[in-house]
Amino acid sequence: MQIVHSPLHVRHSDGVELHRGELVPCYEKPERAEYIREALVDAGHAFVEPRNFAVETLHRVHDPAFVAFLSTAHARWREEGRDGSMLPSGFPARSLRRDRVPEGINGAMGYYAFDAGTPIVEGTWDAAFASAQCAMTAAALVAEGMPAAYALCRPPGHHAARGAYGGYCFLNNSALAAQELRDRGFGRVAVLDVDYHHGNGTQDIFQERGDVLTVSIHGTPETEYPYFLGFADERGSGEGEGCNLNLPLPRGTGWEAWSAALDTALEAVAAFRAEALVVPLGVDTYEGDPISAFGLREEHFPMIGARLAAAGLPTVLVQEGGYAVREIGTNVAGVLGAFERGAG
């Protein structure tokens, strides 16, 4: 399996986040990608850098004004004499207007962000755009005949909505991969998100579309981030009615219940008659993850890879979460190795 990765991910670093009431160093840090890269090098995988995609390709899934905001945000911040992490201090919540984007950078930041845990630093745009290009390149490789490809994306992407960022995510890498597959001739694409946290951004982007199925197995939003989306009664709308499936699970869920949810998810993919599969691959379901609460162990990740391969579809795997940094490489390598063996 070919691995697409950009060294530009390191430009998004040294940020701080507001995590459960405390300002702390960001859990989403460069070491995550480096541990994965090292584990995959040791496993003998080949790496390629992403292709150059025009910024306008992002507009296929993101609001152009939102993309323009992200690409200029830190420069505008510096124009006001500031530096370091950008975090919002206000949001257009209930009773406030949501139909106007404030001209000032502080108001604009609050308009486009949905949490105070996703810092923008000087190199964020470079890293986020490179991450998106990794995902689109992996999709292009699959469209050109590879049975599968993996995008080692950082920062992650599945929380980024059409016009909003949060959850460490700026551009929705998995949605961009799915759209690339659609644009290259796959009529029906399924997105099966196995990250601990609900893929709210992906759901938002494809909510009203019938050509992309979105399925997410995740911690229940009753107690888990992002809290306000990911419930089982969200089924899509308009032409997308019935094309969204959420499988929320309680804190402490172990392999037996989680694997049963995976069976349900794969059955939905088969019933949709998907022609290609995108897997937002979060390994924060691991029992030692510091900001998640499932109980999957190291031996379960190869089992996930084998089950995904058994779907028999051209597949793009896109890196999402996983914050137990030293274990993340082993767990990702476990998924990819078993996928290759199963697909072979």
Short mmCIF file of all heavy atoms in Angstrom, two decimals, residues 298-337:
data_model
loop_
_atom_site.label_atom_id
_atom_site.label_comp_id
_atom_site.label_asym_id
_atom_site.label_seq_id
_atom_site.Cartn_x
_atom_site.Cartn_y
_atom_site.Cartn_z
N GLU A 298 -4.36 -3.33 21.51
CA GLU A 298 -3.48 -3.40 20.34
C GLU A 298 -3.86 -4.52 19.39
O GLU A 298 -3.83 -4.34 18.16
CB GLU A 298 -2.03 -3.58 20.82
CG GLU A 298 -1.00 -3.63 19.71
CD GLU A 298 0.40 -3.78 20.26
OE1 GLU A 298 0.74 -3.13 21.27
OE2 GLU A 298 1.18 -4.57 19.67
N GLU A 299 -4.26 -5.66 19.92
CA GLU A 299 -4.56 -6.80 19.05
C GLU A 299 -5.84 -6.59 18.23
O GLU A 299 -6.09 -7.32 17.26
CB GLU A 299 -4.70 -8.09 19.86
CG GLU A 299 -5.83 -8.11 20.87
CD GLU A 299 -5.39 -7.69 22.27
OE1 GLU A 299 -4.41 -6.92 22.38
OE2 GLU A 299 -6.03 -8.14 23.24
N HIS A 300 -6.66 -5.60 18.58
CA HIS A 300 -7.91 -5.39 17.87
C HIS A 300 -7.72 -4.61 16.56
O HIS A 300 -8.55 -4.72 15.65
CB HIS A 300 -8.90 -4.66 18.77
CG HIS A 300 -9.31 -5.46 19.96
ND1 HIS A 300 -9.42 -4.92 21.23
CD2 HIS A 300 -9.62 -6.79 20.09
CE1 HIS A 300 -9.78 -5.86 22.07
NE2 HIS A 300 -9.91 -7.01 21.41
N PHE A 301 -6.67 -3.82 16.46
CA PHE A 301 -6.51 -2.97 15.27
C PHE A 301 -6.24 -3.78 14.00
O PHE A 301 -6.80 -3.47 12.94
CB PHE A 301 -5.50 -1.87 15.53
CG PHE A 301 -6.02 -0.88 16.54
CD1 PHE A 301 -5.71 -1.01 17.90
CD2 PHE A 301 -6.86 0.13 16.15
CE1 PHE A 301 -6.23 -0.13 18.83
CE2 PHE A 301 -7.39 1.02 17.07
CZ PHE A 301 -7.08 0.90 18.41
N PRO A 302 -5.43 -4.84 14.04
CA PRO A 302 -5.34 -5.68 12.84
C PRO A 302 -6.67 -6.32 12.47
O PRO A 302 -6.97 -6.53 11.29
CB PRO A 302 -4.30 -6.74 13.23
CG PRO A 302 -3.48 -6.08 14.29
CD PRO A 302 -4.44 -5.23 15.06
N MET A 303 -7.50 -6.61 13.46
CA MET A 303 -8.80 -7.19 13.18
C MET A 303 -9.69 -6.19 12.45
O MET A 303 -10.47 -6.55 11.55
CB MET A 303 -9.45 -7.65 14.49
CG MET A 303 -8.64 -8.75 15.19
SD MET A 303 -9.11 -9.01 16.92
CE MET A 303 -10.69 -9.79 16.73
N ILE A 304 -9.55 -4.91 12.79
CA ILE A 304 -10.29 -3.87 12.07
C ILE A 304 -9.83 -3.82 10.62
O ILE A 304 -10.65 -3.77 9.70
CB ILE A 304 -10.08 -2.50 12.76
CG1 ILE A 304 -10.72 -2.50 14.15
CG2 ILE A 304 -10.67 -1.38 11.90
CD1 ILE A 304 -10.37 -1.27 14.98
N GLY A 305 -8.51 -3.83 10.41
CA GLY A 305 -7.99 -3.79 9.05
C GLY A 305 -8.49 -4.94 8.20
O GLY A 305 -8.86 -4.76 7.03
N ALA A 306 -8.52 -6.14 8.77
CA ALA A 306 -8.98 -7.31 8.03
C ALA A 306 -10.46 -7.19 7.67
O ALA A 306 -10.88 -7.55 6.57
CB ALA A 306 -8.74 -8.58 8.85
N ARG A 307 -11.27 -6.67 8.59
CA ARG A 307 -12.70 -6.51 8.34
C ARG A 307 -12.95 -5.48 7.25
O ARG A 307 -13.82 -5.64 6.40
CB ARG A 307 -13.41 -6.11 9.63
CG ARG A 307 -13.29 -7.12 10.75
CD ARG A 307 -14.38 -8.16 10.75
NE ARG A 307 -15.58 -7.63 11.34
CZ ARG A 307 -15.78 -7.52 12.66
NH1 ARG A 307 -14.84 -7.90 13.52
NH2 ARG A 307 -16.93 -7.05 13.11
N LEU A 308 -12.19 -4.40 7.25
CA LEU A 308 -12.34 -3.38 6.22
C LEU A 308 -11.94 -3.93 4.85
O LEU A 308 -12.60 -3.67 3.84
CB LEU A 308 -11.50 -2.15 6.56
CG LEU A 308 -11.94 -1.36 7.81
CD1 LEU A 308 -10.90 -0.29 8.14
CD2 LEU A 308 -13.31 -0.72 7.60
N ALA A 309 -10.87 -4.70 4.81
CA ALA A 309 -10.42 -5.28 3.54
C ALA A 309 -11.46 -6.24 2.99
O ALA A 309 -11.64 -6.34 1.77
CB ALA A 309 -9.09 -6.00 3.74
N ALA A 310 -12.16 -6.95 3.87
CA ALA A 310 -13.14 -7.93 3.43
C ALA A 310 -14.33 -7.30 2.70
O ALA A 310 -15.07 -8.00 2.02
CB ALA A 310 -13.64 -8.74 4.64
N ALA A 311 -14.49 -5.98 2.83
CA ALA A 311 -15.55 -5.29 2.09
C ALA A 311 -15.29 -5.37 0.59
O ALA A 311 -16.22 -5.23 -0.22
CB ALA A 311 -15.66 -3.84 2.54
N GLY A 312 -14.02 -5.57 0.20
CA GLY A 312 -13.68 -5.78 -1.20
C GLY A 312 -13.82 -4.56 -2.08
O GLY A 312 -14.02 -4.69 -3.29
N LEU A 313 -13.69 -3.37 -1.51
CA LEU A 313 -13.87 -2.13 -2.27
C LEU A 313 -12.56 -1.37 -2.44
O LEU A 313 -11.67 -1.46 -1.58
CB LEU A 313 -14.85 -1.21 -1.53
CG LEU A 313 -16.30 -1.71 -1.44
CD1 LEU A 313 -17.09 -0.82 -0.50
CD2 LEU A 313 -16.94 -1.74 -2.82
N PRO A 314 -12.39 -0.64 -3.54
CA PRO A 314 -11.28 0.31 -3.62
C PRO A 314 -11.38 1.25 -2.41
O PRO A 314 -12.45 1.81 -2.15
CB PRO A 314 -11.54 1.06 -4.93
CG PRO A 314 -12.41 0.15 -5.73
CD PRO A 314 -13.26 -0.58 -4.73
N THR A 315 -10.27 1.40 -1.67
CA THR A 315 -10.35 2.04 -0.36
C THR A 315 -9.28 3.10 -0.16
O THR A 315 -8.11 2.86 -0.45
CB THR A 315 -10.22 0.97 0.76
OG1 THR A 315 -11.28 0.00 0.61
CG2 THR A 315 -10.32 1.61 2.13
N VAL A 316 -9.72 4.24 0.36
CA VAL A 316 -8.81 5.29 0.79
C VAL A 316 -8.91 5.38 2.30
O VAL A 316 -9.99 5.61 2.85
CB VAL A 316 -9.17 6.65 0.16
CG1 VAL A 316 -8.19 7.73 0.61
CG2 VAL A 316 -9.21 6.56 -1.36
N LEU A 317 -7.78 5.18 2.98
CA LEU A 317 -7.74 5.33 4.44
C LEU A 317 -7.09 6.66 4.76
O LEU A 317 -6.02 6.99 4.23
CB LEU A 317 -6.97 4.18 5.08
CG LEU A 317 -7.57 2.79 4.80
CD1 LEU A 317 -6.69 2.02 3.84
CD2 LEU A 317 -7.76 2.01 6.09
N VAL A 318 -7.74 7.45 5.60
CA VAL A 318 -7.30 8.81 5.89
C VAL A 318 -7.09 8.96 7.39
O VAL A 318 -8.02 8.71 8.17
CB VAL A 318 -8.36 9.83 5.41
CG1 VAL A 318 -7.91 11.25 5.71
CG2 VAL A 318 -8.64 9.66 3.91
N GLN A 319 -5.90 9.35 7.80
CA GLN A 319 -5.61 9.43 9.23
C GLN A 319 -6.42 10.52 9.90
O GLN A 319 -6.45 11.67 9.46
CB GLN A 319 -4.13 9.67 9.48
CG GLN A 319 -3.73 9.58 10.94
CD GLN A 319 -4.05 8.20 11.52
OE1 GLN A 319 -3.74 7.18 10.90
NE2 GLN A 319 -4.67 8.17 12.69
N GLU A 320 -7.05 10.15 11.01
CA GLU A 320 -7.78 11.11 11.84
C GLU A 320 -7.15 11.14 13.23
O GLU A 320 -6.00 11.49 13.37
CB GLU A 320 -9.27 10.76 11.86
CG GLU A 320 -9.97 10.89 10.52
CD GLU A 320 -10.14 12.32 10.02
OE1 GLU A 320 -9.88 13.27 10.79
OE2 GLU A 320 -10.54 12.49 8.85
N GLY A 321 -7.89 10.72 14.27
CA GLY A 321 -7.40 10.90 15.63
C GLY A 321 -6.52 9.77 16.13
O GLY A 321 -6.20 8.80 15.42
N GLY A 322 -6.15 9.90 17.40
CA GLY A 322 -5.23 8.99 18.08
C GLY A 322 -4.21 9.81 18.83
O GLY A 322 -3.38 10.47 18.20
N TYR A 323 -4.28 9.80 20.16
CA TYR A 323 -3.49 10.75 20.95
C TYR A 323 -2.61 10.08 22.00
O TYR A 323 -1.88 10.77 22.71
CB TYR A 323 -4.42 11.81 21.56
CG TYR A 323 -5.25 12.44 20.47
CD1 TYR A 323 -6.54 12.00 20.21
CD2 TYR A 323 -4.70 13.39 19.63
CE1 TYR A 323 -7.27 12.52 19.16
CE2 TYR A 323 -5.42 13.92 18.57
CZ TYR A 323 -6.70 13.48 18.35
OH TYR A 323 -7.42 13.98 17.29
N ALA A 324 -2.68 8.75 22.10
CA ALA A 324 -1.72 8.01 22.91
C ALA A 324 -0.48 7.86 22.02
O ALA A 324 -0.29 6.87 21.33
CB ALA A 324 -2.28 6.65 23.31
N VAL A 325 0.37 8.88 22.03
CA VAL A 325 1.32 9.11 20.94
C VAL A 325 2.22 7.91 20.69
O VAL A 325 2.44 7.53 19.54
CB VAL A 325 2.14 10.39 21.20
CG1 VAL A 325 3.21 10.56 20.15
CG2 VAL A 325 1.21 11.60 21.20
N ARG A 326 2.78 7.30 21.69
CA ARG A 326 3.73 6.21 21.46
C ARG A 326 3.07 4.98 20.86
O ARG A 326 3.71 4.22 20.15
CB ARG A 326 4.46 5.86 22.76
CG ARG A 326 5.40 6.97 23.22
CD ARG A 326 6.33 6.51 24.32
NE ARG A 326 7.25 7.58 24.67
CZ ARG A 326 8.38 7.85 24.01
NH1 ARG A 326 8.71 7.11 22.96
NH2 ARG A 326 9.16 8.83 24.37
N GLU A 327 1.80 4.78 21.13
CA GLU A 327 1.10 3.60 20.62
C GLU A 327 0.46 3.83 19.25
O GLU A 327 0.06 2.89 18.58
CB GLU A 327 0.01 3.15 21.61
CG GLU A 327 0.53 2.63 22.93
CD GLU A 327 0.83 3.73 23.95
OE1 GLU A 327 0.66 4.92 23.62
OE2 GLU A 327 1.23 3.39 25.07
N ILE A 328 0.34 5.09 18.84
CA ILE A 328 -0.42 5.38 17.63
C ILE A 328 0.20 4.71 16.40
O ILE A 328 -0.51 4.19 15.55
CB ILE A 328 -0.56 6.92 17.43
CG1 ILE A 328 -1.52 7.22 16.27
CG2 ILE A 328 0.78 7.58 17.18
CD1 ILE A 328 -1.84 8.70 16.13
N GLY A 329 1.52 4.69 16.31
CA GLY A 329 2.17 4.09 15.15
C GLY A 329 1.91 2.60 15.07
O GLY A 329 1.59 2.06 14.00
N THR A 330 2.02 1.91 16.19
CA THR A 330 1.77 0.46 16.23
C THR A 330 0.35 0.15 15.80
O THR A 330 0.10 -0.79 15.02
CB THR A 330 2.02 -0.07 17.65
OG1 THR A 330 3.38 0.18 18.01
CG2 THR A 330 1.73 -1.56 17.74
N ASN A 331 -0.61 0.95 16.28
CA ASN A 331 -2.01 0.66 15.99
C ASN A 331 -2.36 0.95 14.53
O ASN A 331 -3.10 0.19 13.90
CB ASN A 331 -2.91 1.44 16.94
CG ASN A 331 -2.77 0.95 18.38
OD1 ASN A 331 -2.39 -0.19 18.61
ND2 ASN A 331 -3.03 1.81 19.33
N VAL A 332 -1.83 2.04 13.98
CA VAL A 332 -2.07 2.32 12.56
C VAL A 332 -1.42 1.25 11.70
O VAL A 332 -2.02 0.73 10.75
CB VAL A 332 -1.56 3.72 12.19
CG1 VAL A 332 -1.58 3.92 10.67
CG2 VAL A 332 -2.40 4.80 12.86
N ALA A 333 -0.17 0.89 12.02
CA ALA A 333 0.51 -0.15 11.25
C ALA A 333 -0.24 -1.48 11.33
O ALA A 333 -0.28 -2.25 10.35
CB ALA A 333 1.95 -0.32 11.74
N GLY A 334 -0.86 -1.75 12.47
CA GLY A 334 -1.66 -2.96 12.62
C GLY A 334 -2.85 -2.97 11.67
O GLY A 334 -3.15 -3.98 11.04
N VAL A 335 -3.54 -1.84 11.56
CA VAL A 335 -4.69 -1.75 10.65
C VAL A 335 -4.22 -1.94 9.20
O VAL A 335 -4.77 -2.75 8.45
CB VAL A 335 -5.41 -0.40 10.79
CG1 VAL A 335 -6.48 -0.25 9.71
CG2 VAL A 335 -6.05 -0.27 12.17
N LEU A 336 -3.19 -1.19 8.80
CA LEU A 336 -2.77 -1.20 7.40
C LEU A 336 -2.18 -2.54 6.99
O LEU A 336 -2.44 -3.05 5.89
CB LEU A 336 -1.75 -0.09 7.14
CG LEU A 336 -2.24 1.35 7.37
CD1 LEU A 336 -1.19 2.33 6.89
CD2 LEU A 336 -3.57 1.63 6.71
N GLY A 337 -1.37 -3.15 7.87
CA GLY A 337 -0.79 -4.44 7.55
C GLY A 337 -1.85 -5.51 7.35
O GLY A 337 -1.79 -6.29 6.38
#
